[in-house]
Coordinates of all heavy atoms in Angstrom, one line a residue:
A1 N -166.5 -56.0 66.4 CA -166.7 -57.2 65.6 C -165.3 -57.9 65.4 O -165.2 -59.1 65.4 CB -167.4 -56.9 64.3
A2 N -164.3 -57.1 65.1 CA -163.0 -57.6 64.8 C -162.5 -58.4 66.1 O -161.9 -59.5 66.0 CB -162.0 -56.5 64.4
Y3 N -162.6 -57.8 67.2 CA -162.2 -58.5 68.5 C -162.9 -59.8 68.7 O -162.3 -60.8 69.0 CB -162.5 -57.5 69.7 CG -162.1 -58.1 71.0 CD1 -160.8 -57.9 71.5 CD2 -163.0 -58.8 71.7 CE1 -160.5 -58.4 72.8 CE2 -162.7 -59.4 73.0 CZ -161.4 -59.2 73.5 OH -161.1 -59.7 74.7
R4 N -164.3 -59.8 68.4 CA -165.1 -61.0 68.7 C -164.7 -62.1 67.6 O -164.7 -63.2 68.0 CB -166.5 -60.6 68.6 CG -167.1 -59.8 69.7 CD -166.9 -60.5 71.0 NE -167.6 -59.8 72.1 CZ -167.3 -60.1 73.4 NH1 -166.4 -60.9 73.8 NH2 -168.0 -59.4 74.3
I5 N -164.4 -61.7 66.4 CA -164.1 -62.7 65.4 C -162.7 -63.3 65.8 O -162.6 -64.6 65.7 CB -164.0 -62.0 64.0 CG1 -165.4 -61.6 63.6 CG2 -163.3 -62.9 63.0 CD1 -165.5 -60.9 62.3
V6 N -161.7 -62.5 66.2 CA -160.5 -63.1 66.6 C -160.7 -64.0 67.8 O -160.1 -65.1 67.9 CB -159.4 -62.0 66.8 CG1 -158.2 -62.6 67.4 CG2 -159.1 -61.2 65.6
Q7 N -161.5 -63.5 68.7 CA -161.7 -64.3 69.9 C -162.3 -65.7 69.6 O -161.9 -66.7 70.1 CB -162.6 -63.5 70.9 CG -162.9 -64.2 72.2 CD -163.9 -63.4 73.0 OE1 -165.0 -63.1 72.6 NE2 -163.5 -63.1 74.3
E8 N -163.3 -65.7 68.7 CA -164.0 -66.9 68.4 C -163.1 -67.8 67.6 O -163.1 -69.1 67.7 CB -165.3 -66.6 67.5 CG -166.1 -67.8 67.1 CD -166.6 -68.6 68.3 OE1 -166.8 -68.0 69.4 OE2 -166.8 -69.8 68.2
A9 N -162.3 -67.2 66.7 CA -161.4 -68.1 65.9 C -160.3 -68.7 66.8 O -160.0 -69.9 66.6 CB -160.7 -67.2 64.8
L10 N -159.8 -68.0 67.8 CA -158.9 -68.6 68.7 C -159.5 -69.7 69.6 O -158.9 -70.7 69.9 CB -158.2 -67.5 69.6 CG -157.3 -66.5 68.9 CD1 -156.8 -65.5 69.9 CD2 -156.1 -67.3 68.3
T11 N -160.8 -69.4 69.9 CA -161.6 -70.4 70.7 C -161.7 -71.7 69.9 O -161.5 -72.8 70.4 CB -163.0 -69.9 71.0 OG1 -162.8 -68.7 71.8 CG2 -163.8 -70.9 71.8
N12 N -161.9 -71.6 68.6 CA -162.0 -72.8 67.7 C -160.7 -73.5 67.7 O -160.7 -74.8 67.7 CB -162.5 -72.4 66.3 CG -164.0 -72.1 66.2 OD1 -164.7 -72.3 67.2 ND2 -164.4 -71.6 65.1
V13 N -159.6 -72.8 67.5 CA -158.3 -73.4 67.5 C -158.1 -74.2 68.8 O -157.6 -75.4 68.8 CB -157.2 -72.4 67.3 CG1 -155.8 -73.0 67.4 CG2 -157.4 -71.7 65.9
R14 N -158.3 -73.6 69.9 CA -158.1 -74.2 71.2 C -159.1 -75.4 71.4 O -158.7 -76.4 71.9 CB -158.2 -73.2 72.3 CG -157.9 -73.7 73.7 CD -157.9 -72.7 74.8 NE -159.2 -72.0 74.8 CZ -159.5 -70.8 74.5 NH1 -158.5 -70.0 74.0 NH2 -160.7 -70.3 74.6
R15 N -160.3 -75.2 71.0 CA -161.3 -76.2 71.3 C -161.0 -77.5 70.5 O -161.3 -78.6 71.0 CB -162.7 -75.7 70.9 CG -163.8 -76.7 71.1 CD -165.1 -76.1 70.7 NE -165.5 -74.9 71.5 CZ -166.1 -73.8 71.0 NH1 -166.4 -73.7 69.7 NH2 -166.3 -72.8 71.8
H16 N -160.5 -77.3 69.3 CA -160.3 -78.5 68.4 C -158.8 -78.9 68.4 O -158.4 -79.6 67.5 CB -160.8 -78.2 67.0 CG -162.2 -77.8 66.9 ND1 -163.2 -78.6 67.3 CD2 -162.8 -76.6 66.6 CE1 -164.4 -78.0 67.1 NE2 -164.2 -76.8 66.7
A17 N -158.1 -78.5 69.4 CA -156.7 -78.9 69.5 C -156.6 -80.3 70.0 O -156.2 -80.5 71.2 CB -155.9 -77.9 70.3
G18 N -156.9 -81.2 69.2 CA -156.9 -82.6 69.6 C -156.0 -83.5 68.8 O -156.0 -84.8 68.9
G19 N -155.2 -82.9 67.9 CA -154.3 -83.7 67.0 C -153.0 -84.1 67.7 O -152.8 -83.9 68.9
P20 N -152.2 -84.7 66.9 CA -150.9 -85.3 67.5 C -149.9 -84.1 67.8 O -149.1 -84.3 68.7 CB -150.4 -86.2 66.4 CG -151.0 -85.6 65.1 CD -152.3 -85.1 65.5
G21 N -150.0 -83.0 67.2 CA -149.0 -81.9 67.4 C -149.6 -80.8 68.3 O -150.8 -80.8 68.7
P22 N -148.7 -79.9 68.8 CA -149.2 -78.8 69.7 C -150.0 -77.8 68.9 O -149.8 -77.6 67.7 CB -147.9 -78.2 70.2 CG -146.9 -78.5 69.1 CD -147.3 -79.8 68.5
A23 N -151.0 -77.2 69.6 CA -151.8 -76.2 69.0 C -151.1 -74.9 69.0 O -150.5 -74.5 70.0 CB -153.2 -76.1 69.7
A24 N -151.2 -74.1 68.0 CA -150.6 -72.8 67.9 C -151.4 -72.0 66.8 O -152.0 -72.6 65.9 CB -149.1 -72.9 67.5
A25 N -151.3 -70.7 66.9 CA -152.1 -69.8 66.0 C -151.3 -68.6 65.6 O -150.4 -68.2 66.4 CB -153.4 -69.5 66.6
Q26 N -151.6 -68.0 64.5 CA -151.1 -66.7 64.1 C -152.3 -65.8 63.7 O -153.1 -66.2 63.0 CB -150.2 -66.8 62.9 CG -149.7 -65.5 62.4 CD -148.8 -65.6 61.2 OE1 -147.8 -66.3 61.2 NE2 -149.1 -64.9 60.1

């Protein structure tokens, strides 16, 4: 479950990376 949650959270970050700045995550 931890792996899947991190995977989905990163997917959301990448999917919604449409702003003026570069997408990045921690």
Side-chain angles (χ1 to χ4, degrees):
Y3 179 91
R4 289 303 189 194
I5 290 173
V6 173
Q7 183 184 54
E8 181 62 28
L10 292 177
T11 300
N12 282 353
V13 174
R14 184 175 60 248
R15 180 183 298 145
H16 302 297
Q26 174 179 309

